[in-house]
Amino acid sequence: MKFLDEAKVYIRSGDGGAGCVSFRREKYVEFGGPDGGDGGRGGDVVAECVADLNTLIDFRYQQHFKARRGAHGMGGNRAGKSGEDRVLKVPVGTEILDEDRETVFADLTEAGQSVVLAKGGDGGRGNTRFKSSTHQAPRRADDGYPGEERWIWLRLKLIADAGLAGLPNAGKSTFLAAVTRARPKIADYPFTTIHPNLGVAYVDDAEMVIADIPGLIEGAHGGAGLGDRFLGHIERCGVLLHLVDGTDEAFCQNYDMVREELAAYGAGLGDKRELVALSKCDALDENTLAERVGALTGHCGREVIALSSASSLGVPETLRKLREAIAEARASKAEAAE
């Protein structure tokens, strides 16, 4: 299944049904008079969050969604049937935005959540509604009220415990493949990963969801490379694992470059908890490895993990540190919510 994380769709709720003008006149019935029923209410357009979807690909093949209109009222004080709602099923983590792509209508982060995007029009009143002691034979009925229509954007932001950040070919996909059952494409050229990947890692009977996004390069926030489009997928992560290629001589500058792109993107990415790992360490001798780990530790001001996904060097330690950082992030979030 192809991954799609953005889609633009047109929605329209149903119009209300018209009220009815009708009179009851039977020879042996004592009370006659108006008996026109009300029109039915138009259907709503509803977005529902479901757990078994992980892409918006369905909205590539259908972009127009319209709810049913309400049925017209009928004689005998029979109200029209309400129109059926139109339900858009979206994955967990979907944001729904106005056409300007800035106004957020809803952010669906849990399965079962739903939101009404367009309310159906009310049905018109039948002539029974206008009967009074001074106006006993009204010939007036209302038309149904129109529904709402608009274009909206659906934007999927994956929900993961930890996100992988780094330059292209920093070893992010290799790490994801080593610790989870995900099978991202891995090759020795930049931008092998062109869409986000998710995997579930296990350590000490605990599980964590890890998201891998395409690599960042200098100027990504301005559209260079694949730009910063996919950074939204790690907005919801509690922890970032920043992988720095240990075989690159400019490893300190590479670290700074990615940090600058995260800060330029905003949305709190620059303030997230971060673990730093020097990757591809199996390709370095002991002296060079110790020298580069020390240099990067002094440069970034935090502990640096020596990591090799190919040889499993530092992988269990990294997962345990991720688990601890994720637990701390969850506790902080719970305190803030309280």
Side-chain angles (χ1 to χ4, degrees), residues 14 19 24 26 30 33-35 43 69 73 86 99 111 130 136 170 176 204 220 243 254 263 271 276 281 327:
R24 178 182 182 185
E26 301 171 48
E30 181 177 2
D35 67 347
R69 71 169 300 157
R86 188 63 188 270
E99 191 174 5
F130 300 98
Q136 298 185 4
L176 186 71
D204 300 335
L243 295 178
N254 293 342
D271 301 324
V276 181
C281 290

Side-chain angles (χ1 to χ4, degrees), residues 284-293:
L284 303 175
D285 59 65
E286 291 185 6
N287 293 334
T288 304
L289 175 58
E291 179 184 342
R292 295 192 175 181
V293 168

Side-chain angles (χ1 to χ4, degrees), residues 166-168 170 216 242-261 296 299:
L167 292 176
L216 301 172
H242 187 163
L243 295 178
V244 182
D245 187 352
T247 62
D248 193 326
E249 297 288 342
F251 56 93
C252 289
Q253 292 87 334
N254 293 342
Y255 171 83
D256 291 338
M257 187 187 305
V258 173
R259 291 297 305 174
E260 289 170 4
E261 295 302 324
L296 186 56
H299 183 76

Side-chain angles (χ1 to χ4, degrees), residues 122-136:
D122 291 330
R125 295 175 294 176
N127 66 336
T128 303
R129 298 284 187 178
F130 300 98
K131 180 178 65 175
S132 68
S133 59
T134 58
H135 191 196
Q136 298 185 4

